[in-house]
Amino acid sequence: MQRLNIQMVDLKGQYLKIKQEIDQAVLNVMESTAFIRGPQVSQFQQELEQYLDVKHVIPCANGTDALQIALMALGLKPGDEVITSDFTFAATVEVIGLLQLTPVLVDVDPNTFCMDVDKLKKAITPKTKAIVPVHLFGQCADMESILEIAKTHNLYVVEDNAQAIGASYTFSDGTTKKAGTMGDIGTTSFFPSKNLGCYGDGGALFTNNDELAAICNSIVNHGMGERYYYERLGVNSRLDTIQAAVLQVKLKYLDAYCEARGKAAAYYDQAFSAIDQIQTPYRDPKSTHVFHQYTLVGKGIDHFELQAFLKEKGIPCMIYYPVPLHTQEAYRTPQMKDEDFEVTNALCQSVFSLPMHTELTEEELKYITDTVKEFLNQ
Ligand SMILES: *Cc1c(COP(=O)(O)O)cnc(C)c1O
């Protein structure tokens, strides 16, 4: 058999399918030379507002900035506690620390890998000001419970939606909302490998609150209100016009991309359904899953051995995430006790993510699943 060229994320294959549209969109920006704040930025902003059914989208330079700007906009003071998940990408906790807020990490649910709401409740103190749930790997956290808890304790909710753009969540009363539009502010990243990725760095904030939108818009532009009058400390965080032009094209395909990922996930689910040594991704009936990652939990197997075996056979496999945040030199505090993070500790030693993107073929999926089964002697 000819060796397949399997990648974790196939940006090239995806580009080639829409090359003409993308090239034209980028060339238009070059011709106009409106590299900063060109019309494509506000067009994309409006198109994304429409897609998400949210009142305000504030584009910015990347997903980490978006999180930082969201927390700045809430006017939190040094020492205020912000609760987030122990099992996420480092950026989420990093920005809390950068603003001299106190990160409080909580363990995750063993099925969804998102914030465990019982542990969230226990983590709330009089100093708690905000909760940052992460919609990990493409599926929403338990937002119904989180919003209820936030309301009871008068806390802000900032959704880190870097991995679940396009997912939607249905509340028990039947209302459906897009991921990132349920809390006070939602943030996302357009990093190339994200589900809606540009060709460089990019990010955005979402909110339905006019006042918070105005503050975020000011913060991304050095805290400026009226031209050359600075109302607050801000940052310089812009989405490039070229990136906005790329995103305008790709937003049209986002639903199709989610569907393609879903199809690949369904193939994996089916192939692994009868295998006891691996736990396939749990599907929360309240949330759609847009499969930023297809992440399995191994039982009684060494995930690094599996990773090495797959590599040998030409299949990339990633461990997201290998080290719990509460153990990281940069973030740990004396309050974080290893025994409080049983689930994250176990996940970091057992999860593995298989190739997941919009261009996976059935031949590739068969080869990947057959090879995983070969490792498991199935
Ligand atoms: C990618 C990611 C970010 C950061 O996005 P950047 O655009 O790389 O800054 C933040 N949070 C989560 C959960 C992510 O996956």
Side-chain angles (χ1 to χ4, degrees), residues 10-22 199 249 253 257 260 357-361:
D10 183 8
L11 295 179
K12 185 71 179 278
Q14 194 189 56
Y15 165 59
L16 290 177
K17 283 192 179 158
I18 52 171
K19 179 173 168 15
Q20 266 190 331
E21 271 182 286
I22 294 275
Y199 291 0
V249 175
Y253 298 101
Y257 290 159
H357 55 77
T358 56
E359 312 303 313
L360 282 165
T361 64

Side-chain angles (χ1 to χ4, degrees), residues 231-366:
E231 300 174 330
R232 56 176 60 77
L233 288 178
V235 294
N236 172 24
S237 188
R238 294 183 287 244
L239 180 67
D240 276 9
T241 313
I242 288 180
Q243 301 309 336
V246 168
L247 289 165
Q248 277 192 283
V249 175
K250 290 189 70 180
L251 179 58
K252 294 189 289 181
Y253 298 101
L254 179 57
D255 286 340
Y257 290 159
C258 292
E259 201 183 313
R261 287 172 179 273
K263 272 195 182 148
Y267 188 103
Y268 282 138
D269 280 352
Q270 171 73 26
F272 298 137
S273 62
I275 299 178
D276 297 336
Q277 296 129 294
I278 45 185
Q279 171 192 319
T280 55
Y282 171 79
R283 313 295 190 89
D284 183 342
K286 282 187 175 168
S287 177
T288 61
H289 200 320
V290 294
F291 287 99
H292 176 59
Q293 299 296 343
Y294 186 87
T295 304
L296 296 146
V297 183
K299 299 189 170 155
I301 59 173
D302 180 331
H303 62 173
F304 290 118
E305 257 176 47
L306 169 64
Q307 186 182 37
F309 182 84
L310 292 176
K311 188 175 176 197
E312 196 71 13
K313 307 274 183 176
I315 301 171
C317 166
M318 300 292 285
I319 313 285
Y320 298 123
Y321 296 94
V323 186
L325 294 180
H326 76 271
T327 66
Q328 300 280 359
E329 179 85 41
Y331 316 127
R332 66 173 176 232
T333 64
Q335 286 71 38
M336 298 174 190
K337 304 251 184 307
D338 202 52
E339 61 266 29
D340 292 336
F341 301 96
E342 216 179 319
V343 177
T344 303
N345 286 339
L347 288 176
C348 289
Q349 289 179 38
S350 58
V351 287
F352 58 99
S353 300
L354 293 178
M356 174 50 73
H357 55 77
T358 56
E359 312 303 313
L360 282 165
T361 64
E362 196 148 327
E363 186 188 17
E364 291 172 325
L365 289 164
K366 181 168 182 347

Side-chain angles (χ1 to χ4, degrees), residues 64-65 68 71 91 93-101 103 331:
T64 307
D65 273 10
Q68 179 179 332
L71 294 176
V93 58
E94 175 185 49
V95 298
I96 299 171
L98 272 176
L99 296 173
Q100 301 195 0
L101 307 169
Y331 316 127

